[in-house]
Structures are given as C-alpha cells and as structure tokens.
Amino acid sequence: MKVLLIGSGGREHALAFKLAASARLSHLFVAPGNGGTDAFGENISLNVSDHAEVAAFCLTREIDLVVVGPEAPLVAGLADDLRAAGIDVFGPSKAAAQLEGSKSFTKSLCDKMNIPTARYQRFDDVEQALNYVRQQGAPIVVKADGLAAGKGVTVAQNLAQAETAVRDCFSGAFGEAGAEVVIEECLRGEEVSVFAVCDGERFVTLASAQDHKQAFDGDRGPNTGGMGAYSPAPAMTPELLAQVEREIIAPTLVGMAQRGTPFSGVLFAGLMLTADGPKLIEHNVRFGDPECQVLMMRLKSDLLELLLASAKGDVSGIKPEWHGEAALCVVMAAKGYPGAYETGKPISGIEGAQSKKVRVFHAGTLLKGGQLQSNGGRVLNVTALGASVAEAKTAAYQALDKINWPGGFCRSDIGWRAIEAEKKNS
Ligand code: AMP
Ligand code: GLY
C-alpha cells in the first residue's frame, strides 16, 4: 500500500517508524516530514492547505491511505476534501474535528451527553469575563476557545494571573482563537491521556500514557505542547479505563453520531482523575505529541492495519497488542521554548544515542548540506523502552547525554509520578 503521512513533528516521525514496519506498506510519502522521517519514507513538499493539490497528488501517485498527523489540517477540512475525491483518510471530518477546534463545542456536547467535565462559562466580552473571574476567585482556568497549539490555556493560581490571561485572550494574544474565552473550574488530580481509535461508531482504546505539559522540572513554568511522556500510566487501572470508556468515550461517539457528524480517527481524551472520578479536560482529534512516540515504541501490532480499519469504517476486528515493557520519552527543546528561541544550530551524536531499545525521534530538525540542524521549538524526542518506567527513564537520559546540541534543554524529571507509584507498589 502507498501511504501519505502529513505532518513534521516527533509524532509523525514515530508514526512513520511504525508504518514502515508494516509488511503491507510499499511506499511512504511524508509531507513535509523532518530530518528524521526520510529514513522511513520520502519527504515531499506539498501545500497542505491547498486541498486540491493534496488530492491531485494522491490520485496521481495512487495513494491508498492518507494519515493526517496534526489537528490544523483536520480542522480546516482536509479529510472531507480528500474523501470527496475518493481517497481513504485516517482522521475526522471538519465537523467532527470541532471536538478539538472549539472548546465550547466540546463543552456543549458534554452538557448534552452528561459527560463529566469541569464547570464552565463562556464569554465573548472582556468585562463580563473579568467579573466572572473575580466572582469565582482563584485558582481558575482561562482558555482561548480555538486552536492555540496547547498554549492558549492558563491555570491561574491567583486573581492577577487570571485577569491577565483574560485580557491577553481578548487582546489577540492567540489570534482568532481568543475571540471567545472559556473559564473553568480548576480540577485537582492526576492527568492522563486516553486514546481511542474510532470508526464513527465503534472504538478501540490504546495503551495509557501520560505527558508533562509544563516547561520546567517539578511540573512548573509555562504550558508547552509536551516536554515528555511515558506509557503505561500506572494511575490508569483497567477499572478506571472501563469507566472512561463508558462515561466519556462512548457518549462522545454517540453524541457526535446523533448530530450527524460521526467521529473517525483517533480521539485523544485528556482527563483529570479527580476525587469524584475521571473528568474530561479536553478532547483532541489526533495523536498526542509526545504521547504517540511512547505508544509507537510499545505497539506490537501493525499500525497500518489499525489506521486503515478506522479509515475504512470498521475497527470491530482490531485488538492492538503491546510490548510489556514501559516506554518513556524526553523532549529536547530549543532554549527559550515555549517563548522565543533560535533555530539553525547544529546537532550531532544521534546515531550513537540509538540502540535496540532507544530511538531518537526528530521533531523540529532539518538536514542542510548533510548537517542536522535545529528547526523548531521541540526538536528531538529521546524515547526508550525499559522493564519499568524507572528503567526506561534511565535509558532515555543515558542516550540523551550522547547527543551534542548546546542550543537545547530538557526536563530532568520526566516520569516522576509513575516512578513514585512504582516505588510504592514494589
Ligand atoms: P488543554 O489545552 O485544555 O488540554 O489544557 C492544557 C492543560 O491545562 C491541561 O493539560 C491541564 O494541565 C491544564 N488544565 C486545563 N483545564 C484544566 C482544568 N479545568 N483544571 C485544571 N487544569 C486544567
Ligand atoms: N502532548 C499533548 C498534546 O499533544 O496535545
């Protein structure tokens, strides 16, 4: 089969790595890809926002499946336009991608389907939003409504932070995404991610994972796209997973089908495990990055079969199998990320860092004249397998020490919660 994978992050490098392992794959194109994906496929330049150009490429090259990595092309309706041209796509329609594209859309669905989530109000007026925040007090969560690359959310610990966040949203700090603001109750508990591959009606959940959103050690500092991840998440017991499937995933799919906008692709439910049970923080409509990297290291089954089943509309026969080992991923980011950072800095030592149990997935990298350079905020994802999360962590950091990139930084405590839980249980 010929596959076109869209995206350029660590998530897409991990997807390319697993797609390339499928016996059914004959050729993989990655648009645009990065400095790592070309080891598993052919990087090509396509204007992904020009849907007709993508469709024409797929028809000429006889592409059997398009896998859309990031959310933006899905929210822009790429999957709809490709399907209209008769091309199979892994990823939801524009209407179903609203689950990620609009926080207020998902909140309304939660109301309608009784899905447990944080109490909230939405505002399109700055003064009303400020009054509400003052009334509720801190801690409180302020969110720009639309897509903001994971950076449009402020968990405000005091009123001043909350008021600044509200003003930032309305003053255009997140562009169009901030024209409407959702203000939520601050949930307490442990965060986990649940991924369900869906076919519009049925779903199959994948192994559990957890990521670290904050930039600095101790889960401090500004929110980022994710500074590291691990799988499995010890907090996600089989009983809890069954509850999440029953109370959150299934009603989401039923609600979407009832609206006439069935969801297919991967539903990524970001959850808080509160004292009152699991609550939905947000839905995303694509794999998490870097959660995908740890899932792909642990996935034993054929990824292409799984994605194709979703695209073809029947996941009922699919039962993914997982390696028993844990996986942990440490993100190396450019100094300054998630704020301003430099690009174009040389990177070396990646080959020496890799082994049977360690893979370095590229995110923002670029090969220029044979030299690998940094080309983004999150740049490398050092991902290792180990008998436990603690052992995977040791292996990942040992590998990371072999990489030479003075322009980068990473957190030193990825996996700390899981490792504490492992110690308690041993
Ligand atoms: P989101 O983009 O909605 O996933 O939010 C980004 C991060 O902000 C989440 O992963 C949480 O760590 C945090 N967050 C979002 N909503 C809440 C909430 N209601 N209570 C506590 N933390 C939250
Ligand atoms: N790691 C979180 C995300 O992909 O949104």
Side-chain angles (χ1 to χ4, degrees):
M1 295 189 78
K2 289 192 199 165
V3 176
L4 169 64
L5 170 63
I6 292 184
S8 62
R11 167 181 52 212
E12 286 75 26
H13 191 185
L15 291 171
F17 154 72
K18 269 311 279 183
L19 285 170
S22 169
R24 295 184 66 182
L25 186 86
S26 59
H27 197 86
L28 177 66
F29 293 97
V30 194
N34 60 34
T37 53
D38 57 357
F40 300 110
E42 183 181 340
N43 284 353
I44 51 160
S45 105
L46 264 183
N47 179 3
V48 171
S49 50
D50 183 343
H51 300 178
E53 182 183 326
V54 181
F57 175 86
C58 293
L59 294 174
T60 325
R61 300 301 185 104
E62 299 178 319
I63 298 294
D64 299 293
L65 177 69
V66 178
V67 177
V68 185
E71 62 277 15
L74 296 166
V75 172
L78 177 62
D80 308 61
D81 290 331
L82 293 178
R83 285 192 186 109
I87 301 153
D88 283 332
V89 186
F90 175 75
S93 66
K94 178 176 181 162
Q98 284 302 295
L99 281 173
E100 176 161 3
S102 165
K103 294 190 189 297
S104 52
F105 174 90
T106 300
K107 284 298 197 183
S108 305
L109 189 81
C110 288
D111 287 345
K112 183 157 172 252
M113 302 306 295
N114 240 333
I115 295 168
T117 187
R119 273 183 292 111
Y120 75 103
Q121 290 272 343
R122 70 174 150 235
F123 298 91
D124 54 15
D125 176 84
V126 62
E127 285 310 319
Q128 283 177 9
L130 286 172
N131 281 338
Y132 180 76
V133 158
R134 288 174 195 136
Q135 224 175 53
Q136 296 291 314
I140 195 159
V141 182
V142 180
K143 302 184 175 185
D145 185 56
L147 290 183
K151 294 163 206 151
V153 174
T154 304
V155 181
Q157 297 303 335
N158 56 53
L159 215 50
Q161 274 174 5
E163 291 186 16
T164 305
V166 168
R167 289 203 176 90
D168 280 352
C169 282
F170 282 108
S171 68
F174 308 107
E176 277 290 302
E180 202 168 73
V181 170
V182 171
I183 299 179
E184 283 187 6
E185 155 198 23
C186 187
L187 298 173
R188 303 247 171 241
E190 195 164 335
E191 245 183 284
V192 296
S193 307
V194 169
F195 296 89
V197 173
C198 308
D199 64 11
E201 190 186 334
R202 291 148 295 208
F203 63 91
V204 46
T205 44
L206 306 184
S208 59
Q210 234 159 336
D211 84 336
H212 292 268
K213 291 252 164 46
Q214 281 90 2
F216 309 131
D217 280 7
D219 293 328
R220 277 190 257 271
N223 261 332
T224 70
M227 293 299 290
Y230 49 93
S231 170
M236 190 40 98
T237 60
E239 294 73 28
L240 264 178
L241 181 62
Q243 190 180 356
V244 170
E245 290 182 350
R246 201 170 56 240
E247 295 180 1
I248 296 175
I249 308 289
T252 298
L253 291 192
V254 171
M256 292 302 282
Q258 281 175 357
R259 294 182 72 254
T261 56
F263 183 89
S264 80
V266 60
L267 183 66
F268 158 9
L271 308 171
M272 191 74 89
L273 304 179
T274 74
D276 300 328
K279 293 195 180 181
L280 181 70
I281 298 174
E282 62 164 354
H283 274 317
N284 296 302
V285 300
R286 34 90 197 168
F287 282 107
D289 184 346
E291 290 94 325
C292 185
Q293 288 81 313
V294 288
L295 291 181
M296 292 306 113
M297 285 294 270
R298 292 193 60 221
L299 182 64
K300 236 195 216 167
S301 318
D302 187 327
L303 177 67
L304 183 48
E305 297 273 352
L306 175 69
L307 305 188
L308 194 63
S310 162
K312 293 273 189 200
D314 185 3
V315 298
S316 58
I318 301 280
K319 264 210 175 67
E321 285 182 36
W322 303 91
H323 290 292
E325 289 179 294
L328 182 138
C329 169
V330 182
V331 171
M332 295 178 82
K335 284 177 187 159
Y337 174 82
Y341 54 80
E342 289 185 59
T343 59
K345 301 281 171 207
I347 302 169
S348 60
I350 290 186
E351 276 315 309
Q354 299 200 108
S355 65
K356 232 175 100 194
K357 306 240 162 179
V358 179
R359 291 222 68 93
V360 180
F361 294 117
H362 295 221
T365 68
L366 180 73
L367 254 178
K368 210 168 179 183
Q371 169 65 55
L372 193 71
Q373 297 187 346
S374 61
N375 190 39
R378 292 189 294 169
V379 173
L380 295 173
N381 306 150
V382 185
T383 312
L385 287 169
S388 59
V389 175
E391 287 189 24
K393 177 185 174 186
T394 305
Y397 281 100
Q398 275 172 359
L400 193 141
D401 283 341
K402 297 180 183 152
I403 296 174
N404 184 16
W405 176 37
F409 80 99
C410 66
R411 281 182 55 163
S412 67
D413 63 346
I414 299 302
W416 67 269
R417 269 182 214 274
I419 291 165
E420 268 179 17
E422 282 177 352
K423 273 193 200 135
K424 249 189 235 154
N425 297 339
S426 67

